[in-house]
Amino acid sequence: MQVTREERAARTREQLLVSAARVVGEFGYRDASIQRITADAGMAQGTFYLYFASRQALFDELLPHFGLHMLEHVRERAHGKSDFFEIEEIGARAVFEYLQENPWFWRVLNEAEVEAPAAWARHHEEVVRRYLKFLRRARQAGVITQYREDELDTLAYLLIAARDYLYLYHLHRSKQNSGIPESVVRTYMQFVRSGLNAGAPGR
């Protein structure tokens, strides 16, 4: 099948994003030069400017782009499941899996708060938006009864933060492709079940 000009352009743009992510993962945003990015992509430096107006313009898209990849990876893993706690466990495992398969993501994420703050804000807004939607469905289904509607955003931030610190700690300790330790999953899920106190009377 013949590849169209639009398809070739989309592939080239995606390759620049992938290369930028790898370079940021190795050198950080400040040392992720256009020369390094295009060299990783196997392209001339001039090609870069056909797709991005500047290095910062690329950085402003980098985290939201791969953040959506990660969220879609989680969604695919949980597809067809309906139990809140089962989905939560699958989600925790899926994010850990994605981070192991894409070790550059953690640096792309953490340095963005300073080097690409607009991208960092967009990514976190999307993560919180999806998590809030997940929590609201659970509350409407009677799974989460201890928290009011106006408390769910705080709850979302607490659970997201708990996951982030678990990932940060255990990614540096785990062997390549070893998966998240089962003891970590058990402890996290016990924390979630106890914290949400499923079945408790509403306030």
Side-chain angles (χ1 to χ4, degrees), residues 18 21-22 66 69-70 72-74 76-77 93-106 171 174-180:
V18 169
R22 286 199 294 251
F66 288 107
H69 281 204
M70 182 188 70
E72 284 304 300
H73 176 77
V74 173
E76 289 170 5
R77 287 288 186 273
R93 291 180 186 275
V95 172
F96 194 91
E97 178 182 89
Y98 184 88
L99 293 173
Q100 281 200 314
E101 292 174 355
N102 303 281
W104 42 261
F105 185 86
W106 198 252
L171 276 172
S174 66
K175 297 179 180 179
Q176 186 68 23
N177 299 322
S178 62
I180 189 168

Side-chain angles (χ1 to χ4, degrees), residues 76-136:
E76 289 170 5
R77 287 288 186 273
H79 180 70
K81 305 298 182 182
S82 58
D83 180 76
F84 173 84
F85 293 105
E86 182 181 10
I87 294 172
E88 179 65 19
E89 181 174 334
I90 290 171
R93 291 180 186 275
V95 172
F96 194 91
E97 178 182 89
Y98 184 88
L99 293 173
Q100 281 200 314
E101 292 174 355
N102 303 281
W104 42 261
F105 185 86
W106 198 252
R107 194 167 187 179
V108 168
L109 169 65
N110 287 329
E111 290 189 12
E113 186 173 6
V114 173
E115 304 298 338
W120 186 87
R122 281 172 56 200
H123 170 71
H124 281 275
E125 285 170 6
E126 182 62 17
V127 170
V128 172
R129 184 189 71 80
R130 293 193 183 204
Y131 214 105
L132 266 173
K133 184 177 178 181
F134 178 49
L135 291 173
R136 287 188 179 118

Side-chain angles (χ1 to χ4, degrees), residues 5 9 22 37 47 71 77-78 83 152 155 158 164 166 187:
R5 180 183 301 177
R22 286 199 294 251
I37 292 168
T47 304
L71 292 171
R77 287 288 186 273
D83 180 76
L152 294 183
L155 184 60
L158 287 169
D164 282 353
L166 283 177
T187 303

